[in-house]
Amino acid sequence: MHEDITYGDIHESQENLWNFLFFTGYLKKVGERFEGDCIYFKMAIPNQEIRYIYRESILLWFDKKIKMIDLSVLLSALESGDCVAVGDFLSGQLQESISFYDYAENYYHGFLLGLLKGIGKYHLISNRESGNGRPDIVMQAASVRGKAFVFELKVAGDFQQMQKKCRDAVMQAVREDYGAELKRAGYSDITIYGVCFYRKECLVQKA
C-alpha cells in the first residue's frame, strides 16, 4: 500500500488503482497475510451503496467497450456453426478484458451474455428452466422461423481438461433437452453450443 497515490496516478498501474480505491473508502481491509517481505491485504466492498456504484460503473464500461467491438465476426461464426471461429473470437476478447485470476464461472457467464447482447439481433434468456434443467444462455430470433441457440458453459481447472469439459457441456445440454422450450415454441433451427473457458482461453463445440 502506498498512501501518496493521487487521482492522476491511477492510470499508471493496476496496483495504483487498488491503492486509490482503498484510501478513498471504496474498498475496506478485512484481513492481511505476510509472505516474506510483502504484506497482502484482503479487500471487500464496504456496503451496498458502493456495491451498486461498482455494478453500474462496470456495466456502463462494459457496454461502451462492446459498442466498439465488431461483433459481426462472432455473429457470422455462430450462425454458420463455425466453432473454431467462435472460440478464437471469445479468446481474443478475454485476452483484452480480464486478469487470468478472474476465472469464476459467473464472470464468464456475464462476459458471454454481454457480448451476445451486443449483437442486438436476438432475444436473450439467461438461466431459465427448460427441458429437465436450466440452460445457461438461450438466444433466439424474434420469429420462430429464425435461428435459436443454446449455450452451456463450463470452466476447466487446467488447459488439458478443456476438450472433455466442452464435450460434457454439449452432452449435458442434449441429455437434459435444453432445447425443449424452443421446440415447443415452434423453433426448428436450433444449435446447441458447449463452451469451455480456462483463464483467457475458450473452446467451443456444438451438438
Side-chain angles (χ1 to χ4, degrees):
M1 286 296 168
H2 307 285
E3 298 185 23
D4 56 347
I5 297 297
T6 65
Y7 181 79
D9 298 323
I10 64 175
H11 299 286
E12 293 182 3
S13 71
Q14 193 174 111
E15 287 184 2
N16 284 359
L17 174 60
W18 294 125
N19 274 270
F20 184 81
L21 292 172
F22 174 61
F23 285 110
T24 53
Y26 284 89
L27 289 172
K28 67 176 180 179
K29 185 180 77 170
V30 294
E32 64 180 59
R33 75 179 191 276
F34 291 83
E35 289 187 11
D37 296 332
C38 297
I39 304 174
Y40 292 89
F41 287 0
K42 183 177 182 180
M43 299 290 188
I45 297 173
N47 52 52
Q48 287 296 114
E49 289 77 15
I50 292 179
R51 185 180 300 274
Y52 174 81
I53 292 171
Y54 274 119
R55 182 182 299 113
E56 293 303 303
S57 298
I58 291 170
L59 287 173
L60 179 61
W61 170 81
F62 195 55
D63 285 343
K64 287 181 177 178
K65 181 176 176 61
I66 287 175
K67 288 176 182 177
M68 298 170 62
I69 300 170
D70 180 8
L71 294 172
S72 63
V73 176
L74 176 60
L75 175 60
S76 176
L78 288 171
E79 291 182 336
S80 65
D82 188 341
C83 294
V84 174
V86 175
D88 287 347
F89 182 90
L90 296 178
S91 295
Q93 294 306 310
L94 287 170
Q95 295 291 330
E96 299 180 5
S97 299
I98 66 169
S99 162
F100 62 79
Y101 295 107
D102 305 323
Y103 48 81
E105 185 169 346
N106 60 350
Y107 175 84
Y108 289 119
H109 185 279
F111 164 79
L112 181 57
L113 191 65
L115 287 174
L116 296 176
K117 179 182 176 183
I119 290 174
K121 181 179 177 181
Y122 292 90
H123 175 63
L124 287 164
I125 301 169
S126 178
N127 288 324
R128 175 181 289 186
E129 295 287 351
S130 179
N132 299 318
R134 188 188 297 269
D136 285 317
I137 300 173
V138 173
M139 187 169 78
Q140 61 197 64
S143 169
V144 296
R145 291 174 292 182
K147 295 178 179 292
F149 307 88
V150 174
F151 299 88
E152 181 62 22
L153 278 59
K154 299 289 183 186
V155 176
D158 59 59
F159 184 77
Q160 287 71 29
Q161 291 181 354
M162 291 187 73
Q163 289 279 358
K164 181 181 183 301
K165 286 281 189 178
C166 219
R167 288 195 301 270
D168 289 346
V170 172
M171 291 171 62
Q172 178 179 328
V174 172
R175 181 179 65 250
E176 302 298 332
D177 198 13
Y178 284 171
E181 190 172 327
L182 291 168
K183 295 172 190 173
R184 282 194 291 270
Y187 290 90
S188 58
D189 189 351
I190 303 170
T191 304
I192 293 175
Y193 283 110
V195 184
C196 179
F197 295 98
Y198 172 68
R199 297 190 177 184
K200 295 187 178 185
E201 301 291 337
C202 179
L203 185 66
V204 180
Q205 295 181 10
K206 65 177 182 176

